[in-house]
Amino acid sequence: QSALTQPASVSGSPGQSITISCTGTSSDVGGYDYVSWYQQHPGKAPKLMIYDVSNRPSGVSNRFSGSKSGNTASLTISGLQAEDEADYYCTSYTSSFSYVFGTGTKVTVL
Amino acid sequence: QVQLVESGGGVVQPGRSLRLSCAASGISFSNYAMHWVRQAPGKGLEWVSVISYDGNIKNYADSVKGRFTISRDNSKNTLYLQMNSLRPEDTAVYFCARDHSGGGCDYWGQGTLVTVSS
């Protein structure tokens, strides 16, 4: 159950687009369309931003989008805003009703 | 009001036990799988355990397998995590969360802090 690999940090200016990658293996990210993304502000509980690779829960801005290619999933934030500054985590179903989180990415809005 | 509320955290000595609870209100509980996720101070999220909607299927992270037990009481809309043989590395904020789909959790509790220290 090794953690999925995410970049430690990603930054961008307001209005720009950024993409966070989440790399796993064929046993997790590549094997199932069950990748989710969470946003977490300091001291707060995580918030679901994307589920099942590319689906947005009700109430989540359409500036957030998800995709997957092979063993790598991606979260794109377009029109970056100050409020998007937070930590982001991916998670994937692995097998036999098991799950794994990514290492986490700190997004900084310059 | 929609909420998940964890309780039962605290300071405990290594080797001792603790039971966490997660009470659901304002949301459907019995039709959904539930997870426990933890976050050590200053660290990332770590998946701990999952239980199916009916309690028949359970699974655990390797780091807690054999020491932690997840359970639920759908008549009380409550999720539990029995933690035995606690270690200092189990120190973390423990969150409960409802599985919307494939591990994507749409509702989370505020977390309860467990500190394992002598």
Side-chain angles (χ1 to χ4, degrees):
Chain A
Q1 292 179 340
S2 298
L4 307 175
T5 301
Q6 298 180 231
S9 63
V10 173
S11 62
S13 299
Q16 286 187 329
S17 293
I18 62 170
T19 296
I20 303 168
S21 61
C22 170
T23 301
T25 69
S26 58
S27 297
D28 39 61
V29 174
Y32 308 92
D33 286 335
Y34 289 133
V35 176
S36 301
W37 289 90
Y38 296 95
Q39 176 192 67
Q40 187 182 35
H41 287 107
K44 300 295 187 181
K47 175 186 178 182
L48 182 64
M49 306 304 285
I50 296 288
Y51 67 96
D52 295 351
V53 175
S54 59
N55 293 308
R56 263 189 320 274
S58 173
V60 172
S61 171
N62 59 9
R63 297 186 298 104
F64 292 84
S65 61
S67 63
K68 190 184 83 166
S69 178
N71 297 335
T72 299
S74 298
L75 173 71
T76 297
I77 309 174
S78 58
L80 199 62
Q81 299 179 2
E83 67 211 49
D84 300 332
E85 187 162 293
D87 294 325
Y88 290 82
Y89 297 90
C90 62
T91 185
S92 174
Y93 178 83
T94 64
S95 64
S96 303
F97 206 33
S98 181
Y99 299 82
V100 62
F101 275 94
T103 51
T105 297
K106 181 177 181 60
V107 169
T108 301
V109 181
L110 301 172
Chain B
Q1 185 179 0
V2 174
Q3 58 181 357
L4 293 172
V5 179
E6 300 97 338
S7 60
V11 180
V12 62
Q13 293 179 329
R16 303 299 292 264
S17 300
L18 211 57
R19 189 176 87 152
L20 305 183
S21 299
C22 168
S25 60
I27 62 171
S28 175
F29 178 80
S30 59
N31 294 329
Y32 293 85
M34 295 292 295
H35 297 259
W36 285 101
V37 174
R38 68 185 181 184
Q39 187 167 35
K43 303 296 184 181
L45 299 174
E46 179 188 13
W47 176 76
V48 173
S49 183
V50 64
I51 187 168
S52 61
Y53 73 99
D54 58 2
N56 286 338
I57 305 174
K58 307 172 186 181
N59 207 358
Y60 304 89
D62 288 344
S63 57
V64 306
K65 197 169 290 184
R67 301 188 298 122
F68 289 12
T69 302
I70 191 171
S71 62
R72 67 191 298 162
D73 186 338
N74 285 343
S75 69
K76 296 182 178 179
N77 283 353
T78 302
L79 175 73
Y80 302 100
L81 186 67
Q82 177 67 42
M83 305 185 295
N84 298 332
S85 302
L86 283 162
R87 306 166 179 170
E89 55 264 36
D90 295 320
T91 294
V93 173
Y94 285 73
F95 297 99
C96 63
R98 189 183 83 165
D99 190 321
H100 172 71
S101 175
C105 294
D106 55 354
Y107 289 103
W108 291 69
Q110 82 289 351
T112 186
L113 177 61
V114 173
T115 302
V116 184
S117 173
S118 54

